[in-house]
Amino acid sequence: MATQARDIPSIDTLSRTVSNSFDLSSSPTATFNSPPSSFGGLRRVSTKQLKPFATQDIKVLLLENVNQTGQAILRAQGYQVEFLKASLPEDKLIEKIRDVHVIGIRSKTKLTARVLREAKTLIVIGCFCIGTNQVDLKYAAQNGIAVFNSPFSNSRSVAELVISEIIALARQICDRSMELHKGTWNKVSNGCWEVRGKTLGIVGYGHIGNQLSVLAEAMGMSVIYYDVVNLMSMGTARQVPTLGDLLKGADFVTLHVPELPETENLIGAAELEQMKTGSYLINASRGSVVDIPALVNAMRKGKLAGAALDVYPNEPAGNGDYFTNDLNSWAEDLRSLKNLILTPHIGGSTEEAQSAIGVEVADALVRYVNEGATLGAVNMPEVNLRSLTMDEPNHVRVIFIHRNVPGVLRKVNEVLGDHNVDKQMTDSRGEVAYLMADISNVAESEIKDLWQNLEDLSS
């Protein structure tokens, strides 16, 4: 009689088996279906669908209004999905996270070491956004918790927002609109420009910078860019050797860099002073990249003709009247400036981007939970094996996360030595190592002993 896939349960320390599974099924219909893998195309009909536990026991917590596409993919696996529209304060988050296996968040939820320490059953985190700075990645990795994100899905949405802001700033559209909303007709051309023939300077020439470069050239702009590595340009864009060269040569400067110690206050008083008088600054990357008081001062002096900000050092946890001096001491000074576009971190907030992010991250979570694949993980070695097939009965997939120290692999292989190791792959990232192995000729009665022997290696 066919039975569903079973697992070697997870271990709570760094040495832990995360997505081990056992399947005696001889029929593809005896287990649930997984979505097609984006790695290697559609799965063959004979692929064996693995799962670490009975599917109804996988508990998923989704916060911050994760898109419906992601929810649907996770529910289709039979997981128990709890969905909340907002983020949670730390104490409430700790209560919620204690018995979940998977958590999905966006940018507001902070998964600190204190929170993760209470997440005794957590095996994976999905960041349904680009950034992962809201997660303690080192602590997660040290405790065998993989983290996935969506680094590219909202690139087009951010690029289009920046293009719209370039035009709006050049024409002072937001000021004219606000004036007319108040009943004031103020038809002026002074200080209003076409963007054709102007120079756009892109700081950070990644996926967003690439798309922005193409769109800007299509409008007749010249494009220069600065990046810490040498990158091939799109179209006729030109890389410049230093940030200073870019600031001096651009009419519009737009920032697309990650949040790192090296990028904190990347644009401060000295950098603003290097920019052309009457130029414009746009930041849709991270709030720590621009020194806001220095920006306020530069605009009040007339050094800059305008600016657009979509991100801030401190952002509210939810919607409401929170963008005040209580949140950031300079908020009211910032709000008082002319030709300044302020948006509430909406660069990737389009239906298309959120849908694509939902699919990308949810698929990664399913692959990790069901198969142990770490491709795309931001804090784990990237390891994957081809899928088991229905022609491989009595197979177990073993996932073992451990400290990267001598002797561990020898001990693991001693545990597995009574079985044939059909496939095995291991890789390390810093102090964390990740092993994946498919072993055959495993009797159902041997599963518990295998798990216990692997668990004993971490004690």
Side-chain angles (χ1 to χ4, degrees):
M1 180 178 178
T3 61
Q4 290 187 327
R6 299 187 182 182
D7 74 302
I8 301 173
S10 60
I11 300 173
D12 291 330
T13 63
L14 179 58
S15 296
R16 59 193 291 177
T17 51
V18 175
S19 187
N20 309 299
S21 56
F22 179 73
D23 198 332
L24 297 176
S25 173
S26 60
S27 168
T29 60
T31 56
F32 59 83
N33 295 319
S34 295
S37 171
S38 62
F39 304 111
L42 293 175
R43 290 177 174 154
R44 295 175 297 165
V45 174
S46 60
T47 295
K48 180 184 292 185
Q49 308 299 336
L50 306 178
K51 55 185 177 181
F53 312 98
T55 55
Q56 65 269 21
D57 291 335
I58 289 289
K59 297 188 68 174
V60 181
L61 176 62
L62 298 179
L63 303 176
E64 301 183 69
N65 205 27
V66 167
N67 192 268
Q68 290 288 337
T69 57
Q71 297 180 48
I73 289 171
L74 295 170
R75 287 196 169 98
Q77 297 297 318
Y79 304 161
Q80 294 181 13
V81 179
E82 182 178 2
F83 167 77
L84 298 176
K85 287 189 174 182
S87 60
L88 294 174
E90 188 171 74
D91 289 341
K92 289 186 177 180
L93 180 59
I94 287 173
E95 292 177 14
K96 280 283 188 182
I97 205 173
R98 283 195 172 112
D99 64 343
V100 301
H101 304 99
V102 181
I103 186 168
I105 62 172
R106 293 176 68 187
S107 58
K108 297 294 187 295
T109 300
K110 307 300 181 185
L111 294 179
T112 62
R114 177 174 179 253
V115 173
L116 295 177
R117 196 174 295 115
E118 301 296 326
K120 302 302 184 184
T121 61
L122 189 67
I123 60 174
V124 62
I125 298 166
C127 297
F128 287 77
C129 52
I130 291 180
T132 56
N133 56 295
Q134 69 275 38
V135 180
D136 190 327
L137 296 177
K138 183 177 181 180
Y139 185 90
Q142 290 173 339
N143 288 271
I145 303 168
V147 180
F148 294 88
N149 69 335
S150 179
F152 314 128
S153 292
N154 69 357
S155 299
R156 179 70 181 198
S157 295
V158 177
E160 289 186 3
L161 176 68
V162 172
I163 287 291
S164 71
E165 291 174 336
I166 290 171
I167 297 172
L169 289 171
R171 297 295 299 272
Q172 302 177 15
I173 289 174
C174 292
D175 284 0
R176 299 294 86 78
S177 176
M178 290 176 64
E179 290 163 356
L180 203 53
H181 273 282
K182 296 176 181 178
T184 301
W185 184 276
N186 185 22
K187 182 178 180 180
V188 296
S189 59
N190 184 43
C192 297
W193 312 94
E194 293 182 354
V195 299
R196 178 181 57 173
K198 306 302 186 295
T199 298
L200 174 64
I202 302 172
V203 182
Y205 202 65
H207 289 267
I208 295 171
N210 269 219
Q211 294 211 28
L212 185 55
S213 179
V214 173
L215 294 173
E217 285 198 347
M219 297 194 303
M221 301 186 78
S222 298
V223 177
I224 58 176
Y225 63 93
Y226 168 72
D227 204 293
V228 293
V229 297
N230 291 324
L231 296 168
M232 185 178 72
S233 63
M234 304 294 289
T236 61
R238 177 173 56 89
Q239 186 165 9
V240 295
T242 68
L243 176 60
D245 291 329
L246 182 138
L247 298 175
K248 294 171 185 175
D251 300 301
F252 295 84
V253 174
T254 180
L255 309 173
H256 303 282
V257 297
E259 185 173 49
L260 300 170
E262 297 83 357
T263 62
E264 184 175 358
N265 289 334
L266 181 69
I267 303 297
E271 290 74 24
L272 291 165
E273 194 59 36
Q274 293 181 68
M275 292 177 64
K276 289 183 178 181
T277 299
S279 59
Y280 305 84
L281 177 68
I282 299 170
N283 184 22
S285 59
R286 287 292 179 260
S288 61
V289 173
V290 175
D291 182 342
I292 302 294
L295 173 63
V296 171
N297 186 50
M299 291 193 65
R300 283 177 172 170
K301 291 194 308 182
K303 178 64 178 180
L304 299 188
L309 301 176
D310 188 48
V311 290
Y312 311 90
N314 297 307
E315 298 179 359
N319 294 339
D321 299 329
Y322 305 123
F323 196 69
T324 65
N325 280 12
D326 292 335
L327 184 68
N328 294 294
S329 60
W330 36 256
E332 292 179 17
D333 289 337
L334 190 69
R335 288 161 43 195
S336 69
L337 297 173
K338 294 289 187 181
N339 205 26
L340 175 67
I341 301 173
L342 300 176
T343 50
H345 205 152
I346 59 170
S349 295
T350 63
E351 294 287 355
E352 294 90 345
Q354 291 306 308
S355 177
I357 289 170
V359 171
E360 182 179 3
V361 177
D363 278 349
L365 294 176
V366 169
R367 282 192 298 271
Y368 185 74
V369 172
N370 291 3
E371 302 174 13
T374 56
L375 294 176
V378 299
N379 69 332
M380 288 281 179
E382 292 192 296
V383 176
N384 191 28
L385 292 176
R386 67 169 175 81
S387 299
L388 292 171
T389 70
M390 299 307 299
D391 297 327
E392 298 172 297
N394 303 344
H395 280 59
V396 168
R397 172 160 289 181
V398 176
I399 306 299
F400 193 71
I401 305 173
H402 60 90
R403 296 191 186 280
N404 186 23
V405 295
V408 176
L409 291 181
R410 175 178 54 80
K411 294 178 181 178
V412 171
N413 286 321
E414 287 175 357
V415 171
L416 306 181
D418 291 336
H419 307 279
N420 187 47
V421 179
D422 292 349
K423 303 186 292 292
Q424 185 176 30
M425 182 176 178
T426 184
D427 198 0
S428 62
R429 186 171 184 169
E431 65 175 0
V432 178
Y434 192 96
L435 177 144
M436 178 186 291
D438 289 343
I439 60 176
S440 58
N441 300 321
V442 183
E444 184 175 0
S445 59
E446 295 175 294
I447 293 288
K448 184 176 180 181
D449 287 341
L450 277 172
W451 167 76
Q452 187 62 60
N453 289 335
L454 288 170
E455 186 176 27
D456 288 345
L457 295 182
S458 64
S459 59

